[in-house]
Amino acid sequence: FFSSRRRHTRFKCDWSSDVCSSDLPDGYTLSGYMQDKYGKTVSTIYQIALSLISLGFISLTFTALVKFLTILEVSNIPLITGLVVVGTLLYSLKGGLKTNLVTGSLQMIFMLVFCAILLILGFNAGGWDHMIAGLNGKAGYTSIFDQKLLTTFGIVMALTSITGIVGNQSYYQKSFSQQTTNNSSLSFILGGIFFALVPLTLGIIGMMAFGSGMEIKDPSTAHIAWMQTNLGMAAVLGFGFIVLNASANALDASGNAFGAIVANDWVKDESKSVLISRLAICAIALAGWAISVLNLSITYIF
C-alpha cells in the first residue's frame, strides 16, 4: 500500500465492469487529492486537520480504555495500555491497510452485535423508562436540545461525529481501497451508518444512567456504572472487550492514515515510503498513548 504510488492520472469509471480506477490510486491521500484539485494551501490545511483527527481518535479510544480499567481498579494501567499499543503495532506495521480492512471489519461486527445485545438487555432492565426520564429532565436537562447540554458536550459531539464520517483519512482509504469491486460508494454509505450506531448506543445507555437517578461522578463513564448496577459484571466485561477492540482498530486505521500523509504528502520519497510510514505510525501511537495516560475528560479529547 505505501510502497506503490502511481502517477496522478484521472480515469473515468466503467461501473459495468469489475475494475474501476478512480481519482485516488493506491497510496493516494485525501490531502494529496486536494493539492491536485485546489492547490498547496488547501492541501496543507487538510494535512493538519486529518493528522489531528487521527491523533484525536487514537487518544479518545485509549482514554476510554484507561477509564474502563480505572473503574475496575486495575493496577499498572499505563503498562497494560502500552502492551495493547505494542500488540497492535506488531500486525499494523506488517500488514498495513490490508490487515486493517480485515481486522477492522471483524471488530466492527463484534461491536454492532454487542451494541444490539446491550440495548435489548438494557430495555428489559427498565432502561426505556430511565431513558425517557432522562430526556424529560430528570438528568438535569430539559431535552436533548437543552442549552447546557448543547454548549458543554452536544455540539462538540455532533461536529466530531460528522467530521469523523466525512473528514477522516482512514475512512476514505478504506472505502476507496475497494474500488476494484465497485463497492466504494456502498462502503462509504454503510460505513457512515455503522460508524454512527456505536456512539448512538453508548449515548442511549448514558441517558439511561442519568435518568435512573444514580449518583455519577464522571459523566463520561455513566454508561459503565449503569451497566455494572443493572446488567451485571458480564455486561461490563463484554463492554471492555469492545473498548479493547475499538482502541486497537483506531490505532491501526488512524495510524495507517497518518503514515500515508507523512510518506506521500510530506516526505514524497517512494524509496523510503514504507520506512517513513512505519515510523509515523509508531510516533502517533506513542503520542496517543501518552495523552491517554493523562486520563483527561472525554470532552477535552473531543
Side-chain angles (χ1 to χ4, degrees), residues 177-279:
S177 66
Q178 303 178 69
Q179 59 191 11
T180 56
T181 62
N182 288 340
N183 287 329
S184 293
S185 299
L186 182 60
S187 298
F188 198 86
I189 295 172
L190 291 179
I193 295 174
F194 293 153
F195 179 90
L197 288 177
V198 176
L200 178 62
T201 300
L202 297 182
I204 292 175
I205 299 298
M207 192 55 68
M208 291 179 182
F210 291 128
S212 67
M214 64 186 306
E215 183 179 353
I216 301 172
K217 296 181 180 179
D218 185 355
S220 63
T221 60
H223 51 291
I224 303 177
W226 189 86
M227 283 188 288
Q228 188 171 10
T229 302
N230 295 273
L231 303 181
M233 201 61 191
V236 175
L237 293 177
F239 179 75
F241 178 74
I242 297 303
V243 174
L244 177 62
N245 275 275
S247 301
N249 185 47
L251 175 55
D252 191 6
S254 296
N256 275 287
F258 179 68
I261 292 174
V262 173
N264 293 335
D265 298 344
W266 297 1
V267 179
K268 300 181 180 180
D269 185 345
E270 293 186 10
S271 65
K272 300 178 181 179
S273 61
V274 174
L275 174 62
I276 294 299
S277 62
R278 286 174 172 170
L279 291 176

Side-chain angles (χ1 to χ4, degrees), residues 7-286:
R7 292 181 62 83
H8 302 166
T9 306
R10 306 193 187 288
F11 301 93
K12 291 184 178 179
C13 292
D14 179 9
W15 296 106
S16 63
S17 66
D18 291 332
V19 179
C20 171
S21 297
S22 75
D23 287 345
L24 300 174
D26 294 339
Y28 204 34
T29 60
L30 181 59
S31 49
Y33 171 78
M34 289 299 168
Q35 179 167 340
D36 276 4
K37 196 166 184 68
Y38 299 110
K40 185 176 181 180
T41 301
V42 175
S43 174
T44 301
I45 295 174
Y46 264 77
Q47 291 169 27
I48 295 172
L50 295 174
S51 298
L52 289 175
I53 288 174
S54 295
L55 176 61
F57 196 31
I58 295 172
S59 304
L60 177 68
T61 52
F62 271 89
T63 297
L65 180 59
V66 168
K67 289 185 179 299
F68 175 80
L69 295 174
T70 301
I71 289 177
L72 296 185
E73 298 181 351
V74 176
S75 58
N76 298 321
I77 293 178
L79 175 62
I80 294 175
T81 54
L83 291 175
V84 175
V85 170
V86 173
T88 304
L89 288 176
L90 288 178
Y91 68 81
S92 180
L93 296 179
K94 176 66 177 177
L97 181 62
K98 290 182 179 180
T99 300
N100 182 245
L101 284 172
V102 176
T103 58
S105 298
L106 293 174
Q107 288 162 340
M108 178 56 73
I109 292 173
F110 290 147
M111 286 190 284
L112 291 177
V113 170
F114 179 78
C115 284
I117 295 175
L118 188 60
L119 286 178
I120 293 174
L121 294 177
F123 289 141
N124 288 337
W128 178 263
D129 293 334
H130 292 163
M131 183 185 70
I132 297 300
L135 292 175
N136 288 334
K138 188 173 182 179
Y141 306 118
T142 57
S143 70
I144 59 174
F145 299 106
D146 182 88
Q147 182 178 2
K148 178 183 176 183
L149 178 62
L150 290 178
T151 55
T152 56
F153 190 70
I155 294 177
V156 177
M157 175 61 183
L159 290 175
T160 305
S161 297
I162 293 172
T163 56
I165 295 174
V166 302
N168 193 319
Q169 167 69 13
S170 64
Y171 188 42
Y172 280 87
Q173 282 182 329
K174 288 184 178 182
S175 298
F176 286 107
S177 66
Q178 303 178 69
Q179 59 191 11
T180 56
T181 62
N182 288 340
N183 287 329
S184 293
S185 299
L186 182 60
S187 298
F188 198 86
I189 295 172
L190 291 179
I193 295 174
F194 293 153
F195 179 90
L197 288 177
V198 176
L200 178 62
T201 300
L202 297 182
I204 292 175
I205 299 298
M207 192 55 68
M208 291 179 182
F210 291 128
S212 67
M214 64 186 306
E215 183 179 353
I216 301 172
K217 296 181 180 179
D218 185 355
S220 63
T221 60
H223 51 291
I224 303 177
W226 189 86
M227 283 188 288
Q228 188 171 10
T229 302
N230 295 273
L231 303 181
M233 201 61 191
V236 175
L237 293 177
F239 179 75
F241 178 74
I242 297 303
V243 174
L244 177 62
N245 275 275
S247 301
N249 185 47
L251 175 55
D252 191 6
S254 296
N256 275 287
F258 179 68
I261 292 174
V262 173
N264 293 335
D265 298 344
W266 297 1
V267 179
K268 300 181 180 180
D269 185 345
E270 293 186 10
S271 65
K272 300 178 181 179
S273 61
V274 174
L275 174 62
I276 294 299
S277 62
R278 286 174 172 170
L279 291 176
I281 293 173
C282 292
I284 198 171
L286 178 61

